[in-house]
Amino acid sequence: EAGVTQSPTHLIKTRGQQATLRCSPISGHTSVYWYQQALGLGLQFLLWYDEGEERNRGNFPPRFSGRQFPNYSSELNVNALELEDSALYLCASSLISGGHTDTQYFGPGTRLTVL
Amino acid sequence: DQQVKQNSPSLSVQEGRISILNCDYTNSMFDYFLWYKKYPAEGPTFLISISSIKDKNEDGRFTVFLNKSAKHLSLHIVPSQPGDSAVYFCAASGFSGGYNKLIFGAGTRLAVHP
């Protein structure tokens, strides 16, 4: 069974541009999560989508946005890129059991570099 | 404000010995805790979790201990193997933030040497 996939692996942009990152969840998973891992820091929660709806959002400015498509894949868009947006962006997916915390399975990440 | 802290950036252990990785949290509303392992160029992999109604959970060589009064948890790996060399992240969640919103620590790099 294929795991979570992300594209591209690396992305280089200049300040002020827009970046689009893509994620395909594990087959059967309806929830997708986005995290940012800046250098030397832990993963910071960005967004959670389930069944096409945004369910929760981390403490990030509105220029970080995303969406989830009917096939449950997801896009993360970062507008007006700033140098400090350079980071590893990780996508995860899970089932939603309706119970407590659902195990999240992570993709390999997209390394975004803003010059 | 770091709600989940892993104060040791690195740990070196000899093969066959015990590895103990520590994690502290500040938010008393957290009631579910997880450990993830990350190899270079790969995404984090779920290792083990514990609910706040328990103080210990075991899975093979991995045991997680939770001390709620101290807001502290630890991951024990016995015996440690070279393949355990990776970065280990502690994560927490709770009702107030949303159960599926994981708050991660900065990670501890474990090196297991022969």
Side-chain angles (χ1 to χ4, degrees), chain A residues 33 42 56 96 100-102 104 107, chain B residues 31-32 36 43 93 97 99-100 105:
Chain A
Y33 312 81
N56 206 339
I96 291 296
H100 213 296
T101 301
D102 299 294
Q104 297 179 21
Chain B
D31 60 3
Y32 197 78
Y36 279 82
S93 71
Y99 280 123
N100 282 333

Side-chain angles (χ1 to χ4, degrees), chain A residues 76-90:
Chain A
L76 174 69
N77 295 294
V78 188
N79 294 321
L81 284 165
E82 300 178 2
L83 296 177
E84 53 264 33
D85 296 333
S86 294
L88 180 67
Y89 289 83
L90 290 157

Side-chain angles (χ1 to χ4, degrees), chain B residues 47-65:
Chain B
L47 204 52
I48 192 169
S49 63
I50 188 167
S51 165
S52 61
I53 62 172
K54 292 185 170 184
D55 54 19
K56 178 182 172 181
N57 190 26
E58 282 182 83
D59 185 1
R61 296 185 297 113
F62 302 92
T63 303
V64 56
F65 294 92

Side-chain angles (χ1 to χ4, degrees), chain A residues 86-114:
Chain A
S86 294
L88 180 67
Y89 289 83
L90 290 157
C91 173
S93 74
S94 78
L95 295 167
I96 291 296
S97 63
H100 213 296
T101 301
D102 299 294
T103 300
Q104 297 179 21
Y105 298 87
F106 284 82
T110 293
R111 172 74 60 187
L112 173 64
T113 302
V114 182

Side-chain angles (χ1 to χ4, degrees), chain B residues 34-47:
Chain B
L34 308 89
W35 285 93
Y36 279 82
K37 177 171 73 172
K38 187 179 186 299
Y39 293 118
E42 295 183 12
T45 303
F46 170 73
L47 204 52

Side-chain angles (χ1 to χ4, degrees), chain A residues 24-46:
Chain A
S24 290
I26 291 171
S27 178
H29 287 188
T30 62
S31 270
V32 170
Y33 312 81
W34 288 96
Y35 291 85
Q36 180 198 66
Q37 186 184 14
L39 195 63
L41 297 178
L43 286 70
Q44 306 291 316
F45 174 81
L46 260 167

Side-chain angles (χ1 to χ4, degrees), chain B residues 25-33 71 93-97 99:
Chain B
Y25 61 96
T26 57
N27 190 337
S28 57
M29 299 300 290
F30 288 147
D31 60 3
Y32 197 78
F33 305 89
K71 294 191 180 67
S93 71
F95 178 74
S96 63
Y99 280 123

